[in-house]
Amino acid sequence: MAKILARVAPGLVVLVGPPASGKTSFVRALIARRQIDRDAVVSSDEIRAELVGTPPTEAADARIFEERDRRIGARLAAGQTTIAESTNVTPQARTRLITIARRFDAPVTMLRFTPDLGVLLQQHAERDRTDITAADVRAYAAVMVRHAGADRLRSEGADAVHDVPGRPQGVTPAQAAACFSFAPFFGTA
């Protein structure tokens, strides 16, 4: 049995990591283990598939992220813990999410999927994604290294920051999920 490393406060949980870093596999493991409800996850990739299909277009991005923000706001307004599943490696992306959370007095927890470039490229090669290239993975990883350190995330307004273990540590998504516990509601809901 895995030891709980972190109790994630109810509120907004922001996943921060480049493509192929294990965010989706981690979320699927949380759902499979019944630690979170499927509805708690707001995924930009799923919204993109719903609204515009694949491959994505740049023109659709604004619409996709507006819909993501709407869904996050609706859940937070109801006092429900919400997981924002997108890369969130840039300060601008995180500021947008923190602003939404603050509107509802929701604590913000950032879960970091640290970029080990060799592992990222290997995991990318194992995925069936044609909309993201190896060059994209490298670029997102470089942005994360420059702009998403734990201290930086705290200075931006994160109430808590936790690193999610993964393949570089010899940890499967299910084992990583077992290291966290989540509360579904916050505030007066």
Side-chain angles (χ1 to χ4, degrees):
M1 180 123 141
K3 178 183 166 198
I4 299 291
L5 296 178
R7 297 192 190 289
V8 177
L12 180 61
V13 180
V14 179
L15 305 186
V16 181
S21 60
K23 297 179 304 293
T24 301
S25 297
F26 175 73
V27 165
R28 287 181 183 149
L30 290 172
I31 293 166
R33 293 174 50 84
R34 298 179 186 203
Q35 291 173 259
I36 62 168
D37 186 60
R38 173 69 197 107
D39 293 338
V41 181
V42 179
S43 165
S44 59
D45 285 344
E46 288 181 12
I47 293 169
R48 180 175 284 111
E50 287 173 28
L51 297 181
V52 297
T54 54
T57 63
E58 286 184 36
D61 277 349
R63 187 170 147 222
I64 291 161
F65 286 101
E66 286 172 10
E67 178 61 18
R68 180 203 63 176
D69 294 353
R70 186 197 66 74
R71 292 179 189 187
I72 288 170
R75 285 190 57 82
L76 294 177
Q80 299 171 315
T81 292
T82 305
I83 297 176
E85 183 191 358
S86 47
T87 60
N88 302 310
V89 297
T90 67
Q92 298 85 354
R94 295 186 300 270
T95 296
R96 185 173 175 160
L97 292 169
I98 290 168
T99 299
I100 294 168
R102 295 304 180 228
R103 249 186 291 156
F104 301 101
D105 294 323
V108 176
T109 300
M110 304 253 181
L111 298 182
R112 293 179 67 241
F113 292 76
T114 56
D116 175 301
L117 190 56
V119 171
L120 288 173
L121 293 172
Q122 179 183 356
Q123 289 179 171
H124 172 69
E126 295 168 357
R127 299 179 346 154
D128 188 23
R129 295 277 306 259
T130 57
D131 59 319
I132 302 283
T133 67
D136 295 330
V137 171
R138 282 185 190 91
Y140 277 95
V143 169
M144 182 162 174
V145 167
R146 284 192 312 273
H147 300 290
D151 290 339
R152 170 83 182 247
L153 299 179
R154 285 185 198 90
S155 73
E156 290 174 359
D159 297 296
V161 177
H162 304 288
D163 286 342
V164 177
R167 193 180 279 184
Q169 295 81 28
V171 175
T172 68
Q175 291 167 330
C179 295
F180 295 87
S181 68
F182 293 79
F185 298 99
F186 66 94
T188 58

